[in-house]
Amino acid sequence: MPKFRYILRYYIDPGYEEDARIAELVEFCIDSSIGEVMLFFNPEEVNNGHITIDEIAPWLTMAKKIQSALKAHNIAMSVNPWETLLHSPRGRKLKPGQNFRLMIGETGKDNGVTCCPLCENWLKYICELWAHVAKELQPDAMWIEDDWRLHNH
C-alpha cells in the first residue's frame, strides 16, 4: 500500500492536439507513479465565463477519452470545475440567460461576472451543471473548487 497518494492537477483543451496530449499524460503518469489525475474544466485563459451545458459537451467528450486511457493503467480521474463563482473577471461577462445576482465588492460595485453565492439562479445553475458532469463521467471524485470568495476582488 503506497504511503502517499499522488494526484496530478492537469488540463487539456478540447480540440488542441488532445490525442497527443492524452498519450503524453498517460506516459507521464506511469513514469511518475501518479495515481490520479485531477482534470480541470474550462480553466484559465480558455475560460469564457460561466460555462453552459452545451459548451461543456466537448470537455466531457475529451474527459471520457482521458478517463478511458487512464483507467487502462489503473489511474483514477477526478474532476475540478476550476471556477464556481468565477472569481476573476478578466473582461468576462454573464451570458444571455444567466440571470445571476452578482457579488458586490467593497467599493459598492460588482465586477460583471462574480456571482453572489446566495443567488438562487446561480445555485440552480451550478447544481445542474455539475450533476450533469457527475452523471456523464462518474469520476472517482469531484473536487470542491478552492477559490470561493466571501469578498469580491
Side-chain angles (χ1 to χ4, degrees):
M1 182 79 157
K3 196 170 191 174
F4 298 99
R5 184 173 165 205
Y6 294 106
I7 302 172
L8 176 67
R9 295 165 43 109
Y10 200 74
Y11 79 91
I12 298 174
D13 300 330
Y16 296 95
E17 300 184 28
E18 62 188 63
D19 291 334
R21 300 272 323 274
I22 292 168
E24 280 178 353
L25 171 64
V26 171
E27 184 179 341
F28 179 81
C29 289
I30 293 167
D31 292 347
S32 304
S33 300
I34 301 293
E36 180 178 330
V37 172
M38 177 197 300
L39 185 66
F40 286 100
F41 280 78
N42 195 36
E44 299 295 346
E45 291 78 12
V46 298
N47 181 292
N48 68 352
H50 297 284
I51 196 166
T52 66
I53 292 220
D54 290 340
E55 290 171 331
I56 208 164
W59 291 91
L60 291 172
T61 300
M62 182 192 63
K64 288 175 184 177
K65 289 176 18 180
I66 294 169
Q67 188 176 41
S68 177
L70 293 171
K71 197 173 276 190
H73 298 280
N74 204 28
I75 301 168
M77 188 187 82
S78 56
V79 297
N80 185 314
W82 186 77
E83 58 85 11
T84 49
L85 299 174
L86 200 57
H87 54 280
S88 179
R90 299 179 188 161
R92 300 171 183 109
K93 300 289 179 199
L94 295 179
K95 297 173 185 169
Q98 292 182 336
N99 301 317
F100 306 147
R101 183 170 25 130
L102 299 179
M103 190 182 297
I104 305 300
E106 68 281 357
T107 63
K109 298 182 188 237
D110 65 59
N111 69 12
V113 75
T114 302
C115 297
C116 172
L118 300 176
C119 172
E120 290 181 13
N121 291 334
W122 175 79
L123 287 167
K124 182 178 184 229
Y125 153 82
I126 203 73
C127 289
E128 287 176 355
L129 179 69
W130 292 102
H132 176 69
V133 171
K135 182 179 178 187
E136 287 291 313
L137 292 179
Q138 299 181 10
D140 293 285
M142 291 188 70
W143 290 85
I144 297 174
E145 198 270 316
D146 66 349
D147 210 1
W148 281 90
R149 298 287 185 214
L150 298 179
H151 57 85
N152 193 359
H153 69 287

